[in-house]
Amino acid sequence: MRLVRVALVLAAGLLLAACGGHRTKPAHRDGHSRTSPSSPSRTSGDDRFEDDLSKPQGSRYRDGEDSVPPPLDVSKLVEPVPKVEPRSLYGNKSPYSVRGKSYRVLPSARGYDERGIASFYGNKFHGYKTSSLETYDMYAFSAASTTLPLPSYARVTNLETGKSVIVRVNDRGPFHDNRLIDLSYAAAVKIGIWPKGTGLVEVQGIDPSRPGKELPLAPVVTGSHPGIYLQIGAFADADNADRLAQRLRQANLGAVQVTDAVINGQRVRRVRVGPLASVDRADQVSSRIEGMGLPRPQVAVD
């Protein structure tokens, strides 16, 4: 019996050493990054599956396309309460690269306030590992961000309806061009992004280390429809801005604006196309601008 106990102790020690000394590289797919070793079989509903990150992304998931269950009653779901948490050992490498683009992870969510386009993800990824090695639950209020630390908290507000939700950020993504944040299915339903698929949002970081100031107020929505703009460049030289604006007008992409702005204390001329009627139109115009040999434009929501 003593020999059995000794063998068990040695085996446990080897397992801990292996866990502490080995970390797999991120695997990228469909706008998300997953960083974890192969995990054991898990049960999702009545289906049993294995989340094996060593497999190619095309064969890792049971479903080829994402989908969502029937309409969800989110009134009974409780939003997460922001709290101070240690940074995850996984998913916080900075900088990191996905599809040739580099990203930097912020030191904290404090002061983060961005507007952009939100999307969401559902059944295909439910029960699989997120970048922080947590299990994705589409019925929890969570989200994926390319830059916010894992885990962190944020308030996400639908700028068209004023509805907001607090989410816990525990995943990387979306890496689809022109997207700011990927919401869980529940969070998307909560603020009205589902079933449309995308929406214009403001994402405000939450700092739980500051009692009484950790929850930012949701932005006031006046009822006016926010506009989607594509910023192609910002120039200190006004002539360069005017030349680019003329080229964009000749391409007949939509209204072209040249406005003054101050960036890092320097006055510049900002060139933007918009407002654009929809997210789909913004995606189309972005592709056309890239086809002209210009850099991929940045999305701005005003």
Side-chain angles (χ1 to χ4, degrees), residues 8 16 19 32 120 142 151 153 173 190 209 214 246 261 267:
L8 289 174
L16 288 174
C19 292
H32 289 275
F120 72 92
S142 64
Y153 296 86
K190 177 81 171 181
S209 68
E214 70 274 16
Q246 182 60 26
R267 185 173 296 278

Side-chain angles (χ1 to χ4, degrees), residues 160-212:
E160 297 175 272
T161 65
K163 295 181 179 179
S164 70
V165 63
I166 293 174
V167 296
R168 185 171 178 271
V169 180
N170 66 351
D171 203 0
R172 287 282 166 243
F175 299 111
H176 183 290
D177 290 323
N178 295 346
R179 302 296 186 264
L180 176 64
I181 194 168
D182 228 354
L183 301 174
S184 65
Y185 171 56
V189 172
K190 177 81 171 181
I191 66 173
I193 299 300
W194 182 89
K196 185 178 179 181
T198 57
L200 306 184
V201 299
E202 181 165 354
V203 181
Q204 300 167 289
I206 295 173
D207 182 8
S209 68
R210 304 177 67 190

Side-chain angles (χ1 to χ4, degrees), residues 70-287:
L72 174 69
D73 180 7
V74 296
S75 63
K76 299 178 182 179
L77 300 181
V78 180
E79 295 183 21
V81 177
K83 61 181 179 180
V84 177
E85 298 185 61
R87 288 169 74 96
S88 169
L89 295 177
Y90 293 90
N92 282 311
K93 178 183 176 182
S94 183
Y96 68 96
S97 296
V98 177
R99 299 174 183 172
K101 185 175 179 180
S102 181
Y103 301 87
R104 288 189 178 275
V105 178
L106 296 171
S108 75
R110 182 185 302 173
Y112 183 88
D113 193 340
E114 298 286 342
R115 289 188 173 195
I117 299 170
S119 49
F120 72 92
Y121 55 128
N123 268 327
K124 180 177 179 178
F125 312 107
H126 182 64
Y128 288 88
K129 291 293 186 181
T130 68
S131 296
S132 60
L133 269 189
E134 298 179 4
T135 301
Y136 172 59
D137 181 358
M138 64 180 174
Y139 299 111
F141 294 125
S142 64
S145 167
T146 57
T147 58
L148 286 170
L150 306 182
S152 58
Y153 296 86
R155 181 189 293 278
V156 182
T157 302
N158 186 335
L159 293 173
E160 297 175 272
T161 65
K163 295 181 179 179
S164 70
V165 63
I166 293 174
V167 296
R168 185 171 178 271
V169 180
N170 66 351
D171 203 0
R172 287 282 166 243
F175 299 111
H176 183 290
D177 290 323
N178 295 346
R179 302 296 186 264
L180 176 64
I181 194 168
D182 228 354
L183 301 174
S184 65
Y185 171 56
V189 172
K190 177 81 171 181
I191 66 173
I193 299 300
W194 182 89
K196 185 178 179 181
T198 57
L200 306 184
V201 299
E202 181 165 354
V203 181
Q204 300 167 289
I206 295 173
D207 182 8
S209 68
R210 304 177 67 190
K213 298 182 179 180
E214 70 274 16
L215 297 181
L217 296 176
V220 177
V221 179
T222 62
S224 60
H225 191 289
I228 305 174
Y229 297 84
L230 298 176
Q231 180 170 313
I232 296 86
F235 302 88
D237 188 324
D239 291 338
N240 289 338
D242 291 338
R243 279 193 289 269
L244 175 59
Q246 182 60 26
R247 184 180 175 189
L248 293 169
R249 292 187 181 104
Q250 291 174 348
N252 196 28
L253 300 173
V256 178
Q257 299 180 345
V258 180
T259 58
D260 292 325
V262 177
I263 300 178
N264 297 327
Q266 182 180 16
R267 185 173 296 278
V268 297
R269 297 278 283 171
R270 187 171 58 186
V271 181
R272 304 198 304 180
V273 174
L276 299 169
S278 66
V279 173
D280 288 342
R281 178 59 179 164
D283 290 342
Q284 293 168 3
V285 174
S286 292
S287 296

Side-chain angles (χ1 to χ4, degrees), residues 19-83:
C19 292
H22 175 68
R23 295 182 186 175
T24 58
K25 294 182 179 180
H28 309 306
R29 63 100 192 103
D30 295 342
H32 289 275
S33 170
R34 299 287 188 258
T35 308
S36 77
S38 301
S39 58
S41 297
R42 294 180 177 274
T43 301
S44 178
D46 294 329
D47 299 325
R48 195 165 184 81
F49 66 94
E50 182 177 345
D51 184 4
D52 185 355
L53 289 183
S54 67
K55 294 180 180 179
Q57 292 301 320
S59 62
R60 178 184 168 202
Y61 301 96
R62 295 166 301 164
D63 303 327
E65 299 292 335
D66 200 7
S67 61
V68 294
L72 174 69
D73 180 7
V74 296
S75 63
K76 299 178 182 179
L77 300 181
V78 180
E79 295 183 21
V81 177
K83 61 181 179 180

